Amino acid sequence: MSDLQIGLIVLGVLLILMVLGFNWWQDRRVRRRMQAHFPSNEHDPLLGGGGHEVGAPHAAAGQGAHAPQRREPGFAGTAAAGTVRTSGMHADTAAGSPSAAPVDSDDSEEADPACEVVIEVTFAEPVRGADLLPVTQSMRSAGRKPMRVFGQTDDQRHRARLRGDERYGALQIAVLLANRTGPLTAIEWSQAWARAQDLGERFDAAIEGPDQQAVLEQAARLDDTCAALDTQVGLTLLLGGAQPAAEVLAVARDLGFIHDGPRLVWMSDVGLPRFTLMRGDGAAFDAGMGGVERLNLLLDVPCSPPDERAFGRMVEVGRQLAQRLRAELVDDQGKPLADASVAVIDERLQVLFGQLEQAGLRAGSARALRVFS
């Protein structure tokens, strides 16, 4: 081998080492820069080390608790979570809107590592919010899992919604790990990752996120936890014949129900639905001129605020409806409702509310509303 060949080989090795060294230095610089800025979460049961038994997927009824493993939601860290879902009795956000917070303060809303996994996008140079908004506003979901976009401005302010008049040095894309459609799938995670890569290619950004297998394992644990706790309690009103939908609606509204899409809701004093009322055929109350023969009352326990008489309140309203509509109130098995069973169910629901609290999924909380959607 000639001296020239040896020299070229040595030169090639040196160039490779220089490229590797530069990439390492750049990655280290990005990590240090991003590590400093996003708020850390307080202690959370879902982030603890306690374990729970694994249950069935939480798309149906539920009973259970959950145990997670994860990291704080920073622009240099990835979010991980482990959880459990149970079964029992019958039981985000697009970027763009201006925030009410002053421009010189951080937004309080942030990615939730208990139920979301984060992909971090770090721009080589700050990018105008006006340029990012058309792209990020379309990043609402990956498959059937909602996505949220958070930003870090060039002056290190955290934003829950991007603003057109600001410049951003980095973004977080938070993907929900599980909901009632099941855990995040490999296809859904790939869709989210592809969206992040597209963003990176458009605006010259580095993309960083956790390993796919780790994400899918976190999603499965969260789904198990929620399946163990996912409980809905139902009652049925048998009207004994078709009654005009307009009359049924008038009675329901007179008793205090309000519209929420095709269903009616009975609101709590904290502004969250306690339970819902729907037509037995699933149609909207104001859809067409057809009659109503059956009504369904539903208490969605994880999505309803804790209440010592959660079921009892629904029963009381159901009986008033039955009286006004000359209907029969029955349980989810079609049997007349026994007074003794009301107190028993309320006692069981108190246990469930406690389990939800212990699992870091307080009933009616923003986190519970996400994973039990």
Side-chain angles (χ1 to χ4, degrees):
M1 184 178 293
S2 67
D3 291 342
L4 176 60
Q5 290 174 316
I6 294 174
L8 290 174
I9 291 173
V10 172
L11 180 60
V13 171
L14 288 174
L15 287 173
I16 291 172
L17 291 175
M18 289 174 63
V19 170
L20 292 175
F22 176 77
N23 288 341
W24 174 87
W25 172 81
Q26 187 178 46
D27 181 69
R28 181 180 173 86
R29 181 171 65 93
V30 168
R31 286 175 179 272
R32 280 181 173 177
R33 192 173 115 212
M34 302 318 303
Q35 235 161 0
H37 302 298
F38 276 79
S40 60
N41 286 359
E42 298 178 359
H43 174 72
D44 189 306
L46 284 177
L47 301 182
H52 296 269
E53 290 188 7
V54 173
H58 81 290
Q63 65 243 118
H66 116 88
Q69 318 238 340
R70 49 167 146 209
R71 293 164 51 185
E72 297 298 329
F75 267 96
T78 57
T83 11
V84 202
R85 296 199 166 180
T86 31
S87 32
M89 302 169 293
H90 275 291
D92 236 37
T93 305
S97 313
S99 170
V103 173
D104 60 349
S105 66
D106 290 333
D107 293 348
S108 59
E109 185 180 357
E110 61 183 15
D112 184 354
C115 63
E116 293 175 307
V117 63
V118 170
I119 300 172
E120 295 161 4
V121 181
T122 306
F123 300 113
E125 298 292 339
V127 180
R128 293 191 315 149
D131 295 329
L132 290 170
L133 283 171
V135 180
T136 58
Q137 283 177 334
S138 66
M139 300 173 68
R140 298 176 182 272
S141 64
R144 294 184 290 181
K145 302 301 181 294
M147 299 167 59
R148 299 192 292 165
V149 177
F150 300 90
Q152 178 185 300
T153 67
D154 57 353
D155 57 355
Q156 315 308 328
R157 296 300 181 187
H158 172 73
R159 294 288 178 251
R161 292 169 183 80
L162 304 190
R163 304 173 185 177
D165 59 350
E166 291 183 328
R167 294 167 62 86
Y168 296 89
L171 300 181
Q172 280 187 327
I173 301 172
V175 187
L176 190 65
L177 282 164
N179 56 15
R180 281 176 170 158
T181 68
L184 183 72
T185 67
I187 292 177
E188 289 170 330
W189 173 244
S190 296
Q191 290 176 353
W193 188 259
R195 300 270 186 91
Q197 286 184 315
D198 178 65
L199 189 67
E201 291 172 359
R202 291 189 187 207
F203 299 102
D204 188 18
I207 311 300
E208 185 178 1
D211 175 74
Q212 175 175 296
Q213 187 57 39
V215 169
L216 300 183
E217 290 173 358
Q218 294 163 14
R221 289 194 298 268
L222 178 58
D223 187 67
D224 288 338
T225 298
C226 296
L229 299 169
D230 197 359
T231 301
Q232 298 177 326
V233 185
L235 294 172
T236 300
L237 287 128
L238 303 176
L239 275 58
Q243 296 192 30
E247 293 182 13
V248 173
L249 176 60
V251 169
R253 294 176 66 177
D254 187 53
L255 285 175
F257 284 95
I258 63 174
H259 272 287
D260 181 26
R263 64 181 188 173
L264 300 175
V265 298
W266 186 276
M267 300 298 290
S268 70
D269 53 5
V270 296
L272 289 174
R274 287 199 184 278
F275 47 85
T276 62
L277 178 69
M278 295 188 67
R279 290 174 50 155
D281 58 8
F285 281 93
D286 54 0
M289 303 296 293
V292 179
E293 299 182 357
R294 182 188 186 100
L295 294 170
N296 296 325
L297 282 163
L298 184 68
L299 172 62
D300 191 341
V301 179
C303 298
S304 176
D307 183 359
E308 293 182 355
R309 297 188 60 251
F311 183 64
R313 292 183 196 279
M314 186 171 71
V315 170
E316 290 176 358
V317 174
R319 285 173 172 166
Q320 293 178 51
L321 272 172
Q323 183 178 11
R324 295 277 296 271
L325 296 171
R326 301 175 301 281
E328 181 183 8
L329 184 68
V330 298
D331 62 20
D332 53 8
Q333 296 180 345
K335 298 180 180 179
L337 194 64
D339 290 338
S341 66
V342 176
V344 171
I345 292 176
D346 269 331
E347 288 178 5
R348 293 178 180 174
L349 292 184
Q350 288 311 299
V351 174
L352 181 59
F353 283 133
Q355 291 174 334
L356 284 162
E357 182 84 34
Q358 291 173 4
L361 295 166
R362 179 178 173 80
S365 67
R367 179 184 294 166
L369 294 176
R370 285 192 192 100
V371 299
F372 293 103
S373 62

